[in-house]
Amino acid sequence: QRVLRLAEMCRRLETEEEKVLPFYPSSLVEGEQQDARRVLEETPVEPLAWAMRDYVGLERFWQRFNKAKLEEQALEREWAALSRRNRRLRELLRQYLAGISVSQEMLSEPNPL
């Protein structure tokens, strides 16, 4: 019940685009998609494959989880790039302000004007 309640809460927070098209389109060509469907429909022979059939219902969850993780990593990289750019701009601003400010050294030198 707790998982279902959390899923409902998450559903309310989804954007309209995520509600309509929640996952990225598959990068598999049609033949590869048919092969994947055929393999999923076969009766498993190995014990691990039998155990995995119990978790087929979680496939959508893992797709969304992986999508969220990828977006999180992309945002972290973007944040790092923006932080580097911000530091560079601050340094340029500091250099500019140092160039236009009047220091004691400038006041002690003879005024050419």
Short mmCIF file of all heavy atoms in Angstrom, two decimals, residues 66-99:
data_model
loop_
_atom_site.label_atom_id
_atom_site.label_comp_id
_atom_site.label_asym_id
_atom_site.label_seq_id
_atom_site.Cartn_x
_atom_site.Cartn_y
_atom_site.Cartn_z
N ASN A 66 16.12 4.65 -13.97
CA ASN A 66 17.32 4.90 -14.78
C ASN A 66 17.23 6.25 -15.48
O ASN A 66 18.23 6.96 -15.59
CB ASN A 66 17.52 3.78 -15.79
CG ASN A 66 17.92 2.48 -15.13
OD1 ASN A 66 18.48 2.47 -14.05
ND2 ASN A 66 17.64 1.37 -15.79
N LYS A 67 16.04 6.60 -15.95
CA LYS A 67 15.87 7.90 -16.60
C LYS A 67 16.15 9.02 -15.60
O LYS A 67 16.84 9.99 -15.91
CB LYS A 67 14.44 8.03 -17.15
CG LYS A 67 14.18 9.36 -17.82
CD LYS A 67 12.75 9.47 -18.28
CE LYS A 67 12.51 10.85 -18.82
NZ LYS A 67 11.12 11.21 -18.86
N ALA A 68 15.65 8.87 -14.39
CA ALA A 68 15.88 9.89 -13.36
C ALA A 68 17.37 9.99 -13.02
O ALA A 68 17.91 11.09 -12.85
CB ALA A 68 15.07 9.57 -12.11
N LYS A 69 18.05 8.85 -12.93
CA LYS A 69 19.49 8.86 -12.63
C LYS A 69 20.28 9.52 -13.75
O LYS A 69 21.21 10.29 -13.50
CB LYS A 69 20.00 7.43 -12.42
CG LYS A 69 19.69 6.89 -11.06
CD LYS A 69 20.43 7.69 -10.02
CE LYS A 69 20.31 7.10 -8.65
NZ LYS A 69 20.93 7.93 -7.64
N LEU A 70 19.91 9.25 -15.00
CA LEU A 70 20.60 9.88 -16.12
C LEU A 70 20.40 11.39 -16.11
O LEU A 70 21.33 12.17 -16.34
CB LEU A 70 20.10 9.30 -17.45
CG LEU A 70 20.59 7.89 -17.79
CD1 LEU A 70 19.87 7.37 -19.02
CD2 LEU A 70 22.09 7.88 -18.01
N GLU A 71 19.17 11.82 -15.83
CA GLU A 71 18.90 13.25 -15.76
C GLU A 71 19.65 13.90 -14.60
O GLU A 71 20.16 15.01 -14.72
CB GLU A 71 17.40 13.50 -15.62
CG GLU A 71 16.64 13.21 -16.90
CD GLU A 71 15.14 13.37 -16.75
OE1 GLU A 71 14.66 13.66 -15.64
OE2 GLU A 71 14.44 13.20 -17.77
N GLU A 72 19.76 13.18 -13.47
CA GLU A 72 20.50 13.69 -12.32
C GLU A 72 21.98 13.89 -12.68
O GLU A 72 22.57 14.93 -12.37
CB GLU A 72 20.37 12.71 -11.16
CG GLU A 72 21.12 13.14 -9.92
CD GLU A 72 21.04 12.11 -8.81
OE1 GLU A 72 20.72 10.93 -9.07
OE2 GLU A 72 21.31 12.49 -7.66
N GLN A 73 22.57 12.91 -13.37
CA GLN A 73 23.97 13.04 -13.77
C GLN A 73 24.16 14.17 -14.77
O GLN A 73 25.14 14.92 -14.69
CB GLN A 73 24.48 11.73 -14.36
CG GLN A 73 24.68 10.65 -13.33
CD GLN A 73 25.21 9.37 -13.94
OE1 GLN A 73 25.27 9.21 -15.16
NE2 GLN A 73 25.61 8.45 -13.08
N ALA A 74 23.22 14.33 -15.69
CA ALA A 74 23.31 15.42 -16.66
C ALA A 74 23.24 16.77 -15.96
O ALA A 74 23.99 17.69 -16.28
CB ALA A 74 22.20 15.30 -17.70
N LEU A 75 22.36 16.89 -14.97
CA LEU A 75 22.24 18.14 -14.22
C LEU A 75 23.50 18.42 -13.40
O LEU A 75 23.94 19.57 -13.30
CB LEU A 75 21.01 18.12 -13.32
CG LEU A 75 19.67 18.21 -14.04
CD1 LEU A 75 18.53 17.98 -13.07
CD2 LEU A 75 19.53 19.56 -14.74
N GLU A 76 24.09 17.36 -12.83
CA GLU A 76 25.33 17.56 -12.08
C GLU A 76 26.45 18.05 -12.98
O GLU A 76 27.22 18.95 -12.62
CB GLU A 76 25.75 16.24 -11.40
CG GLU A 76 24.90 15.89 -10.20
CD GLU A 76 25.24 14.52 -9.63
OE1 GLU A 76 26.13 13.82 -10.18
OE2 GLU A 76 24.61 14.15 -8.64
N ARG A 77 26.56 17.49 -14.17
CA ARG A 77 27.58 17.93 -15.12
C ARG A 77 27.34 19.36 -15.57
O ARG A 77 28.26 20.15 -15.68
CB ARG A 77 27.63 17.00 -16.32
CG ARG A 77 28.22 15.66 -15.99
CD ARG A 77 28.31 14.77 -17.18
NE ARG A 77 28.86 13.48 -16.80
CZ ARG A 77 28.95 12.46 -17.60
NH1 ARG A 77 28.52 12.54 -18.85
NH2 ARG A 77 29.45 11.31 -17.17
N GLU A 78 26.08 19.69 -15.81
CA GLU A 78 25.74 21.05 -16.21
C GLU A 78 26.06 22.03 -15.08
O GLU A 78 26.59 23.10 -15.31
CB GLU A 78 24.26 21.14 -16.57
CG GLU A 78 23.85 22.49 -17.12
CD GLU A 78 22.39 22.52 -17.53
OE1 GLU A 78 21.75 21.47 -17.62
OE2 GLU A 78 21.89 23.65 -17.75
N TRP A 79 25.76 21.64 -13.84
CA TRP A 79 26.06 22.49 -12.69
C TRP A 79 27.56 22.70 -12.56
O TRP A 79 28.01 23.82 -12.30
CB TRP A 79 25.51 21.85 -11.41
CG TRP A 79 25.74 22.69 -10.20
CD1 TRP A 79 24.98 23.73 -9.77
CD2 TRP A 79 26.82 22.58 -9.27
NE1 TRP A 79 25.51 24.28 -8.63
CE2 TRP A 79 26.65 23.58 -8.30
CE3 TRP A 79 27.91 21.72 -9.16
CZ2 TRP A 79 27.52 23.76 -7.25
CZ3 TRP A 79 28.78 21.90 -8.11
CH2 TRP A 79 28.58 22.90 -7.17
N ALA A 80 28.35 21.65 -12.77
CA ALA A 80 29.81 21.77 -12.69
C ALA A 80 30.33 22.71 -13.77
O ALA A 80 31.20 23.56 -13.52
CB ALA A 80 30.46 20.40 -12.81
N ALA A 81 29.79 22.59 -14.98
CA ALA A 81 30.21 23.47 -16.07
C ALA A 81 29.84 24.92 -15.77
O ALA A 81 30.63 25.84 -16.00
CB ALA A 81 29.58 23.03 -17.38
N LEU A 82 28.64 25.14 -15.24
CA LEU A 82 28.22 26.49 -14.90
C LEU A 82 29.05 27.05 -13.75
O LEU A 82 29.36 28.26 -13.72
CB LEU A 82 26.73 26.52 -14.54
CG LEU A 82 25.78 26.32 -15.72
CD1 LEU A 82 24.35 26.18 -15.22
CD2 LEU A 82 25.90 27.45 -16.73
N SER A 83 29.44 26.21 -12.81
CA SER A 83 30.30 26.67 -11.70
C SER A 83 31.66 27.11 -12.23
O SER A 83 32.19 28.14 -11.79
CB SER A 83 30.47 25.56 -10.67
OG SER A 83 29.26 25.28 -10.05
N ARG A 84 32.23 26.32 -13.15
CA ARG A 84 33.52 26.71 -13.74
C ARG A 84 33.38 28.03 -14.49
O ARG A 84 34.23 28.91 -14.37
CB ARG A 84 34.01 25.62 -14.69
CG ARG A 84 34.56 24.40 -14.00
CD ARG A 84 35.28 23.48 -14.98
NE ARG A 84 34.43 23.04 -16.07
CZ ARG A 84 33.65 21.96 -16.03
NH1 ARG A 84 33.60 21.23 -14.94
NH2 ARG A 84 32.93 21.62 -17.06
N ARG A 85 32.31 28.18 -15.25
CA ARG A 85 32.10 29.42 -16.00
C ARG A 85 31.91 30.60 -15.03
O ARG A 85 32.44 31.68 -15.27
CB ARG A 85 30.87 29.27 -16.88
CG ARG A 85 30.63 30.47 -17.75
CD ARG A 85 29.49 30.24 -18.70
NE ARG A 85 29.32 31.42 -19.53
CZ ARG A 85 28.22 31.70 -20.17
NH1 ARG A 85 27.20 30.90 -20.12
NH2 ARG A 85 28.13 32.80 -20.89
N ASN A 86 31.18 30.37 -13.95
CA ASN A 86 30.96 31.43 -12.96
C ASN A 86 32.29 31.86 -12.33
O ASN A 86 32.54 33.05 -12.16
CB ASN A 86 29.99 30.93 -11.89
CG ASN A 86 29.52 32.04 -10.98
OD1 ASN A 86 29.60 33.22 -11.33
ND2 ASN A 86 29.04 31.67 -9.82
N ARG A 87 33.14 30.88 -11.96
CA ARG A 87 34.45 31.22 -11.39
C ARG A 87 35.28 32.03 -12.38
O ARG A 87 35.93 33.01 -12.00
CB ARG A 87 35.21 29.95 -11.00
CG ARG A 87 34.76 29.36 -9.68
CD ARG A 87 35.74 28.31 -9.19
NE ARG A 87 35.93 27.20 -10.11
CZ ARG A 87 35.15 26.12 -10.16
NH1 ARG A 87 34.13 26.01 -9.34
NH2 ARG A 87 35.40 25.15 -11.02
N ARG A 88 35.25 31.64 -13.65
CA ARG A 88 36.01 32.36 -14.68
C ARG A 88 35.48 33.79 -14.83
O ARG A 88 36.26 34.75 -14.91
CB ARG A 88 35.91 31.61 -16.00
CG ARG A 88 36.57 32.28 -17.15
CD ARG A 88 38.08 32.26 -17.03
NE ARG A 88 38.66 32.89 -18.18
CZ ARG A 88 39.65 33.75 -18.13
NH1 ARG A 88 40.21 34.04 -16.98
NH2 ARG A 88 40.12 34.30 -19.22
N LEU A 89 34.18 33.96 -14.86
CA LEU A 89 33.60 35.30 -14.99
C LEU A 89 33.91 36.16 -13.77
O LEU A 89 34.19 37.36 -13.91
CB LEU A 89 32.09 35.20 -15.20
CG LEU A 89 31.65 34.67 -16.57
CD1 LEU A 89 30.15 34.44 -16.59
CD2 LEU A 89 32.08 35.60 -17.68
N ARG A 90 33.90 35.55 -12.59
CA ARG A 90 34.26 36.31 -11.38
C ARG A 90 35.72 36.77 -11.43
O ARG A 90 36.03 37.89 -11.03
CB ARG A 90 34.01 35.47 -10.12
CG ARG A 90 32.56 35.33 -9.76
CD ARG A 90 32.41 34.42 -8.54
NE ARG A 90 31.04 34.14 -8.25
CZ ARG A 90 30.29 34.85 -7.41
NH1 ARG A 90 30.81 35.87 -6.77
NH2 ARG A 90 29.03 34.54 -7.22
N GLU A 91 36.59 35.90 -11.92
CA GLU A 91 38.00 36.27 -12.04
C GLU A 91 38.18 37.41 -13.05
O GLU A 91 38.93 38.36 -12.80
CB GLU A 91 38.83 35.05 -12.45
CG GLU A 91 40.30 35.31 -12.57
CD GLU A 91 40.93 35.81 -11.27
OE1 GLU A 91 40.47 35.40 -10.19
OE2 GLU A 91 41.86 36.62 -11.36
N LEU A 92 37.48 37.34 -14.17
CA LEU A 92 37.56 38.41 -15.16
C LEU A 92 37.03 39.72 -14.58
O LEU A 92 37.61 40.79 -14.81
CB LEU A 92 36.77 38.04 -16.42
CG LEU A 92 37.39 36.95 -17.29
CD1 LEU A 92 36.41 36.55 -18.39
CD2 LEU A 92 38.70 37.41 -17.88
N LEU A 93 35.94 39.64 -13.83
CA LEU A 93 35.38 40.84 -13.20
C LEU A 93 36.36 41.41 -12.18
O LEU A 93 36.56 42.63 -12.12
CB LEU A 93 34.05 40.50 -12.53
CG LEU A 93 33.34 41.67 -11.84
CD1 LEU A 93 33.01 42.77 -12.84
CD2 LEU A 93 32.09 41.17 -11.14
N ARG A 94 37.00 40.54 -11.41
CA ARG A 94 37.98 40.98 -10.42
C ARG A 94 39.16 41.69 -11.11
O ARG A 94 39.61 42.75 -10.67
CB ARG A 94 38.48 39.78 -9.62
CG ARG A 94 39.23 40.15 -8.36
CD ARG A 94 39.56 38.92 -7.51
NE ARG A 94 38.35 38.25 -7.04
CZ ARG A 94 37.99 37.00 -7.34
NH1 ARG A 94 38.76 36.26 -8.10
NH2 ARG A 94 36.88 36.49 -6.87
N GLN A 95 39.61 41.14 -12.23
CA GLN A 95 40.70 41.77 -12.99
C GLN A 95 40.27 43.12 -13.55
O GLN A 95 41.02 44.10 -13.52
CB GLN A 95 41.14 40.86 -14.13
CG GLN A 95 41.87 39.62 -13.69
CD GLN A 95 42.14 38.68 -14.85
OE1 GLN A 95 41.83 38.98 -16.00
NE2 GLN A 95 42.71 37.52 -14.53
N TYR A 96 39.06 43.17 -14.06
CA TYR A 96 38.54 44.43 -14.61
C TYR A 96 38.46 45.50 -13.53
O TYR A 96 38.89 46.64 -13.72
CB TYR A 96 37.17 44.20 -15.25
CG TYR A 96 36.50 45.47 -15.70
CD1 TYR A 96 36.91 46.12 -16.86
CD2 TYR A 96 35.46 46.04 -14.96
CE1 TYR A 96 36.30 47.29 -17.27
CE2 TYR A 96 34.85 47.21 -15.36
CZ TYR A 96 35.27 47.83 -16.52
OH TYR A 96 34.68 48.99 -16.91
N LEU A 97 37.89 45.13 -12.38
CA LEU A 97 37.75 46.10 -11.29
C LEU A 97 39.12 46.53 -10.77
O LEU A 97 39.31 47.70 -10.40
CB LEU A 97 36.92 45.53 -10.15
CG LEU A 97 35.43 45.32 -10.50
CD1 LEU A 97 34.72 44.63 -9.35
CD2 LEU A 97 34.77 46.64 -10.84
N ALA A 98 40.09 45.65 -10.76
CA ALA A 98 41.44 46.01 -10.34
C ALA A 98 42.06 46.98 -11.34
O ALA A 98 42.81 47.89 -10.96
CB ALA A 98 42.32 44.77 -10.20
N GLY A 99 41.72 46.84 -12.60
CA GLY A 99 42.27 47.72 -13.63
C GLY A 99 41.68 49.13 -13.60
O GLY A 99 42.34 50.09 -13.99
#
